Amino acid sequence: MNVFKKSIGIGLALLFLLFYHGAFSQTPEKNRPNVIVILTDDQGSIDLNSYGATDLHTPNMDRLAKEGVRFTQFYAGAPVCSPSRAALMTGKTNLRAGLEGNVPIPERAEISGEHGLPTEQITMAEMLKPNGYYTALIGKWHLGHREQNLPNGQGFDYFFGHQRGCIDNYSHTFYWDGPNKHDLYRNSEEVYYDGQHFADLMVEEVKQVINHRQDEPFFIYWAFNAPHYPYQGTTKWLEHYKDLPTPRREYAAFVSNTDEKIGNVLDYLDEMGIADNTIVVFQSDHGHSLEERAFWGGGNAGPYRGSKFSLFEGGIRVPAIIRYPGIIPANEVRDQLSMEMDWFTTIAELTNSKVPDNLDGKSLMPIILDNKKESGHEVVHWQLGSYDDKMAQWAVRKGSWKLIGNVREPVVEGKKIELEKLYLLNLENDIGEKNNLAESNPKKLNELLQLHTTWIKSVRSEMKQ
């Protein structure tokens, strides 16, 4: 009898150990999903089918929307590249992240002392690494050029892409006002793939990262340089859009080429059997460009006024989607005001990672899981330029009211528009931002002006400590 009892006891103990080991080994996988953050570049507010475009072919971006949640009132942290990326990477407004504008080329940075995202800021990669993530950046960096400011110095285990703001997609050269420079790197090593389209190279790199460490979760920040100029969609897509006028044709070809590459990776996640355990985030970094290198246009902001460089809606209201099967609802829309900084906090929550206490981003999970929840943001702020620059363009929004100061609105070649210094808008009644209500609503003007003034003072105090 005693032997029988002892055998039963040993058996139960073994079962317990097996159960405990199984539960323990499964916990990291369930609590540490893979993460892919896709950032497109200069993509217009409505430039995919699920946001209203009728002349574009974007089935893979739309697939993310059908299989996840898309946001209709989602804002970039800034209307230009580097500050927007700083907001994404840190969960803070670009000013609080220490990046007031675009990072200059290295030759000018040495003179100006503007070296990019400060190294003391905690990036999304640095947030995820302590939780066992293998971190990789594939694509565009544009957040600094010194060794400590480059991706490998900012929390990324692996980097493949270009350091500067844009490159030719076939020669991988940065063409600007000199010196023209080849700009393609694997970590710190310059690499050459002459004649191969950069988008194709990125897809293969993303796949290699997915395969690199199958015993630990991965974080991939996939930062496209598209549809940013130079417009270089492939011949296949240029032929597809042959009936569209320039520059929409060239822009559309680049958008659909980007969509196709996103589809390649989504299919690969399915093929590898890990799609259900991978969070995929998609966002454009800001509005479309009207610059000369962009043929003076090509993108579409739909009903919204403005474009890249502007704090009107067309410069900062962007398409944004998150997919995480089984956790995030499928084929749903959220209209609550949301910000680019929110991805940092949302991803931290979904991966059980620790975050600093002083973030501007709010987790999107409450509104994702309950459409009746209100936005986590009562007041939101933007500023492009130093907190000490009285001529810097800025904006503040509270509820449906928005105030823009020193507004700049890029226009196509040969046109010019004069704007008032303070521009007060009610987005509920005027989504196209045509009517300046500053004179007719002095009380609301002063309220929002005070909100901006108080915020700038707090940022100045924080950053000068």
Side-chain angles (χ1 to χ4, degrees), residues 210-268:
I210 291 172
N211 291 330
H212 181 66
R213 301 263 184 105
Q214 296 190 10
D215 59 337
E216 62 184 352
F218 60 77
F219 163 55
I220 300 173
Y221 170 35
W222 189 8
F224 277 91
N225 63 331
H228 191 290
Y229 54 80
Y231 293 159
Q232 290 177 313
T234 57
T235 303
K236 165 188 172 180
W237 290 111
L238 286 168
E239 178 63 22
H240 178 85
Y241 291 113
K242 63 182 180 182
D243 295 328
L244 286 182
T246 295
R248 185 64 170 174
R249 174 179 181 247
E250 291 79 6
Y251 173 90
F254 212 11
V255 168
S256 287
N257 187 75
T258 301
D259 179 85
E260 181 179 24
K261 302 312 166 188
I262 291 173
N264 292 158
V265 169
L266 296 182
D267 290 344
Y268 193 68

Side-chain angles (χ1 to χ4, degrees), residues 86-93 96 341-342 344-345 358-361:
L88 174 69
M89 283 291 101
T90 65
K92 299 180 180 180
T93 61
R96 295 191 60 239
M341 295 83 77
D342 296 342
F344 192 104
T345 317
N358 61 341
L359 300 182
D360 294 302

Side-chain angles (χ1 to χ4, degrees), residues 133-376:
Y133 277 79
Y134 180 73
T135 59
L137 165 57
I138 308 300
K140 171 178 172 174
W141 177 235
H142 206 194
L143 284 175
H145 304 99
R146 297 183 303 177
E147 182 178 357
Q148 62 267 40
N149 296 103
L150 286 166
N152 297 130
Q154 296 277 36
F156 287 95
D157 296 311
Y158 183 75
F159 167 55
F160 176 85
H162 56 102
Q163 301 173 359
R164 305 185 185 202
C166 61
I167 55 170
D168 174 86
N169 287 277
Y170 293 99
S171 67
H172 317 126
T173 297
F174 176 78
Y175 291 110
W176 209 258
D177 53 350
N180 295 330
K181 180 178 173 60
H182 180 264
D183 186 7
L184 187 61
Y185 291 84
R186 177 172 287 109
N187 297 319
S188 59
E189 178 188 0
E190 193 168 2
V191 292
Y192 293 85
Y193 293 92
D194 295 345
Q196 297 185 54
H197 199 289
F198 183 54
D200 295 327
L201 294 174
M202 286 195 293
V203 168
E204 292 309 308
E205 290 287 332
V206 169
K207 290 181 179 180
Q208 288 184 39
V209 171
I210 291 172
N211 291 330
H212 181 66
R213 301 263 184 105
Q214 296 190 10
D215 59 337
E216 62 184 352
F218 60 77
F219 163 55
I220 300 173
Y221 170 35
W222 189 8
F224 277 91
N225 63 331
H228 191 290
Y229 54 80
Y231 293 159
Q232 290 177 313
T234 57
T235 303
K236 165 188 172 180
W237 290 111
L238 286 168
E239 178 63 22
H240 178 85
Y241 291 113
K242 63 182 180 182
D243 295 328
L244 286 182
T246 295
R248 185 64 170 174
R249 174 179 181 247
E250 291 79 6
Y251 173 90
F254 212 11
V255 168
S256 287
N257 187 75
T258 301
D259 179 85
E260 181 179 24
K261 302 312 166 188
I262 291 173
N264 292 158
V265 169
L266 296 182
D267 290 344
Y268 193 68
L269 292 175
D270 290 338
E271 180 183 329
M272 296 296 291
I274 58 174
D276 286 351
N277 195 46
T278 302
I279 301 165
V280 179
V281 165
F282 170 88
Q283 184 201 317
S284 172
D285 65 342
H286 48 67
H288 67 288
S289 173
L290 296 181
E291 296 165 90
E292 181 178 7
R293 289 180 175 86
F295 295 86
W296 307 109
N300 189 353
Y304 311 120
R305 179 176 182 174
S307 59
K308 180 180 179 181
F309 298 111
S310 170
L311 287 175
F312 283 123
E313 295 291 285
I316 52 177
R317 189 183 287 222
V318 294
I321 303 167
I322 182 171
R323 184 189 80 170
Y324 184 12
I327 304 296
I328 300 295
N331 199 28
E332 294 197 11
V333 178
R334 296 293 181 266
D335 300 319
Q336 294 92 328
L337 188 154
S338 307
M339 298 291 294
E340 184 171 14
M341 295 83 77
D342 296 342
W343 291 131
F344 192 104
T345 317
T346 305
I347 289 170
E349 179 176 342
L350 289 171
T351 59
N352 290 315
S353 301
K354 295 181 179 179
V355 297
D357 296 328
N358 61 341
L359 300 182
D360 294 302
K362 311 290 185 183
S363 174
L364 295 169
M365 290 308 295
I367 64 172
I368 286 173
L369 298 178
D370 184 356
N371 196 24
K372 295 181 181 179
K373 292 280 187 181
E374 294 185 357
S375 167

Side-chain angles (χ1 to χ4, degrees), residues 90-99 118 121 357-361 387 455 458-459 462-463:
T90 65
K92 299 180 180 180
T93 61
N94 62 290
L95 284 192
R96 295 191 60 239
L99 202 60
Q121 296 293 338
D357 296 328
N358 61 341
L359 300 182
D360 294 302
Y387 48 75
W455 177 70
S458 70
V459 172
E462 174 188 354
M463 301 309 290

